[in-house]
């Protein structure tokens, strides 16, 4: 059985790209042939991506402190108010999972895991993660340092 690894994020939004950076590191490292890697810029894509008999591992930035922490979260953790995955488009990871459960309960993955990379708790007045200036590309040092730990966490779900 395959494992679908979904990295969420927007490259232009600096630390929000943590999930995508983890996918890039996984690709460089090499993955078992039964691992499927999918990038999603928007959580609305999760609804259909969660419709699989495979295990799903979602990797996303989360608003929690301290920055650079790697967290294991489950759908029930998200429902209980655990650190919130960052959403740049309004629909959160927990909401996408619940929507997938409601719209296609017989096709929802039986095993969904979330690897969260904390980007800290700083928010703009709108409630979104505070954007960085255009001349500050890439991940912040704390988040970049967390990528190898997040890769190891994902690999542990693959038995690697």
């Amino acid at each position: 059985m395959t494992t679908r690894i979904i990295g969420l994020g927007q490259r232009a939004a600096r630390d929000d790209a943590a999930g995508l950076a983890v996918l890039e590191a996984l690709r460089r490292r090499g993955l078992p042939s039964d691992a499927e890697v999918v990038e999603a810029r928007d959580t609305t894509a999760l609804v259909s991506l969660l419709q699989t008999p495979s295990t799903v591992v979602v990797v996303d930035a989360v608003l929690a402190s301290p920055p650079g922490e790697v967290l294991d979260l489950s759908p029930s953790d998200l429902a209980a108010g655990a650190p919130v995955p960052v959403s740049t488009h309004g629909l959160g990871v927990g909401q996408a999972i619940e929507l997938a459960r409601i719209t296609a309960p017989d096709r929802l993955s039986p095993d969904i895991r979330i690897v969260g990379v904390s980007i800290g708790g700083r928010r703009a007045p709108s409630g979104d993660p505070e954007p960085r200036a255009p001349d500050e590309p890439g991940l912040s040092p704390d988040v970049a340092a967390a990528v190898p730990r997040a890769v190891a966490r994902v690999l542990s779900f693959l038995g690697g």
Side-chain angles (χ1 to χ4, degrees), residues 22-105:
V22 171
L23 287 191
E24 289 170 11
L26 284 165
R27 286 184 184 120
R28 284 191 305 271
R29 184 190 182 287
L31 288 165
S33 61
D34 63 345
E36 175 189 14
V37 178
V38 181
E39 289 186 18
R41 289 195 269 158
D42 189 303
T43 51
T44 57
L46 278 181
V47 176
S48 63
L49 291 171
L50 294 169
Q51 296 174 11
T52 177
S54 303
T55 294
V56 173
V57 180
V58 178
V59 186
D60 197 11
V62 297
L63 292 172
S65 291
E69 185 176 1
V70 176
L71 306 169
D72 284 331
L73 301 167
S74 68
S76 59
D77 291 333
L78 297 181
V84 179
V86 174
S87 174
T88 56
H89 296 281
L91 183 68
V93 172
Q95 293 166 319
I97 293 169
E98 189 56 29
L99 185 56
R101 183 183 326 279
I102 291 168
T103 58

Side-chain angles (χ1 to χ4, degrees), residues 127-153:
D128 293 330
E130 190 143 319
R132 302 216 178 165
D135 61 341
E136 298 182 72
L139 300 177
S140 65
D142 288 335
V143 173
V147 169
R149 293 191 310 278
V151 166
R153 193 70 47 90

